[in-house]
Structures are given as structure tokens and as C-alpha cells.
Amino acid sequence: MSSEKPNPFEVAQKQLEDCAKIINLNANVYRILRVPMREIHVSLPLRMDDGSIQVFKGFRVQYNDTLGPTKGGIRFHPDETIDTVRALAAWMTWKCSLVDLPLGGAKGGVICNPKEMSLGELERLSRAYIDAIWQFIGPDKDIPAPDVYTDAQIMVWMMDEYSKFLGKNQFGVITGKPPILGGSAGRDDATARGGMYTIREAAKEFATDLKKATYAIQGYGNAGYNAARLIKTFFGGKIIAVSDSKGGILSKEGLDPKKVLEHKNKTRSVINFPNTEMISNEDLLELEVDVLLPSALENVITEKNAKNIKAKIVAELANGPTTPEADDVLYKNGIHVIPDFLCNAGGVTVSYFEMVQNLYMYYWDEKEVHERLNKKMTTAYHSVLDTSKEYNINMRQAAYVVAVRRVAEAMKLRGRVHS
Ligand code: GLU
């Protein structure tokens, strides 16, 4: 795994292998958990605005359903690969287990560049994806949600398309919808908010004064922007750098998250925000800050740059930002990593609340959602921290121990493995 770009699924398998050794996992359970339960590969012919037909590739990987129907987002990204989707589906399995949701793990993806597509093309692609996979999803089978470059509007198109096949409304087939169509209050910023609760707990443990702290955020999408906004309301402190796919900005005085967003919405990037210095995504990661929040894509902290990371806390709002080799270095250097499937579990947690409210046909207010989310995240953080102390292992290994154990126990109870 020393090649330029590690294969995310090899990373996920290596992490599981590590965990299997730590807990002496039953060999049969391990063999089952190393690979996805089901993969759906589809070709999506799409009528483009210019009248041509383009064929897009789509995937849905249902990794493991021992704990319940599978759950996980759908990405629209030009660099999507089946191995990325496999890894993300595995991480969803561990994520749902870790926060104790009655759900398994899945992930979907379509190889496309939404930034170059019109709204009409995006709508047709979203509907075509559901046309191709609708038989394999449903509120008690597999429930998609937003992820990188997909949003509430896309979720509504997908829900609407699925409902047509059923001949009736089925809001519960997908989460991350807007509140007017069965979405949950508090879903929009749930990933970042969940991360804030874990940072708050980590700071208590490591005596970090978050009011005086400095923060750097890689990525300014749903997770990154909401993290910036919530850092201000939760903790105060200074956000000294943020970035997006085009590059980053640095300001020693601190950035105003909303103004940066307005600039990004106008110019399509955070770069060139007034009174800031340009900084690359790579350099942003190596800044001397108290809290670093990788909030974009996989494999950004690797064996190459891990030794240069100077943050005290690394809060992984992205999925898979750190490779196993880098993990070892960070751990040796005493950096506290709040691992991805703990730190960013707030998104799927409120998705689960959304499913419950859809079934219930009764909707909670934002305060209730926040309280329930706080409880879930705080409990999960401490179960991971306690496990890391008990076994003397890093936080990611500890998160795996908690999550894999639950799935393994349930597999045994269900008779999927014997002994
Ligand atoms: N895509 C988000 C994640 O990676 C949310 C998944 C969901 O809500 O099902 O956790």
C-alpha cells in the first residue's frame, strides 16, 4: 500500500484485519466480514441536454445486513471507483454498529461530474439510478442518503421516482430529504454537529481550551462548512484556514464562515477570499493548529505527510482520510484522532431518526433531534475512548473493536456462523 494513492478498500480490509488480531475474531466471522454481501453494478443511459446519450456507471454495495437494513449515502463523483464504494460501505457497517443503530452498511456511487451537468441532467441521472436499483432498496431493505456532491434535492427526486414504482408515497426509502417532504429537523448539519460533540468530549479528556483554540478545515462542502459555522457557535476560537478542491485560504486573524460561504457561492471556490493568503490543501493539513478537520475525501493523511501533522486533535469528518501507516505515526506522535466512523456518525444517526419519524408519521423539533444526537455521539465517543485505554490501542482500532464485536455477536446469534 505504498503506491501513490492507496486503494480505499485495501485500507478498509487492513483495518479489519488489524481488529481481527486484537480481538482474536472468529475466523469464519472474519471471512464473511472481509467482503461485501452484495454489489449491484448498473449502466445508466442518460439523455444529455445536447440530445446525445451518455452512459454513466453506477454502483450500490450492500456490505453487511446483520444488524438491520443496510444504510449509506450515494456519491456523485468523477473519481468514483467500485473499491471506493466498497470501502465506504464497509465503513458504514462499522459506523452504524458503533453508534448502536439497528442498521447495516451500504454505499452507492455514480461516476459523473455534477459540476459540469445541468439541473435537468442531474435530475434525469438521479431518476435513472433509482430506475436501475429500485428493486434492491426500500425502507426495510436498504436506505440511501446524501454523500459527496449529492443533496436534499437529489434525495427528493430519488424518493419521488421510487414512489412511482410503488404507486404510493414512500418517504422512508431515502433520508436527507428536506423537512417539507419527510426530512428530519437537524439533518442538514448533523454530520458536523455530531463531530462537534466528539471534539467537545476529546477536549475535556485532553484539557484543550476550545475557546482559545485554532482550527483548520479541509473541505468546504456540507460537512466542512457546517463545521466552520458550528465551531463558532459551540466553541468560539479561530478558524485560521479552510479549503476546497481548488485550494485553500489562510488568515491568522480567523475567518468568518458565512462570508467565506457567500464568496464560494459567488465564485465557486473559497480561494481569493479577501485579506487571506493562498495555501494548498497539502499545506493546510500541516498547519500548527489545535484541531484539524479533514472534511473532504479519502487518503489525505498518508505515510508521506503524517510526520508533519502538528494538530493536537484530528477530527475526521471525511470518510477514510487517514491510511493505516499514517495512523501509526499519528498515534506515536501523541495526536488524538477522532476516527471517521465515530466523528462523522452524526449524519447517519439523524438519518436513522428521519427513518423513525417517517414510520411514526410524527416529527420532532430541532431541539429534540439535537439532544438525541448529543446522547448517541457522547456515548459512542466514550465507549471508544474507554476501549482504547483498556487495550492500549489507538482510537480507530478501538472504534473497530466496539463495532466489529457487535456485528460478530449478532452474526452468532442469528446463526450465520457457528462456534
Ligand atoms: N453519507 C453519510 C455518511 O457517510 C450519511 C449516510 C446516511 O445518512 O445514511 O455517513
Side-chain angles (χ1 to χ4, degrees), residues 189-207:
D189 68 11
T191 305
R193 186 175 294 269
M196 295 303 120
Y197 296 132
T198 64
I199 294 170
R200 178 196 64 202
E201 295 306 301
K204 279 187 205 157
E205 183 67 21
F206 296 94

Side-chain angles (χ1 to χ4, degrees), residues 201-242:
E201 295 306 301
K204 279 187 205 157
E205 183 67 21
F206 296 94
T208 307
D209 184 354
L210 292 172
K211 279 196 210 81
K212 293 196 187 119
T214 50
Y215 302 81
I217 305 173
Q218 190 203 33
Y220 217 62
N222 174 288
Y225 163 65
N226 281 309
R229 188 176 60 78
L230 293 173
I231 283 168
K232 285 280 163 206
T233 52
F234 269 67
F235 312 128
K238 262 189 209 166
I239 299 159
I240 65 162
V242 303

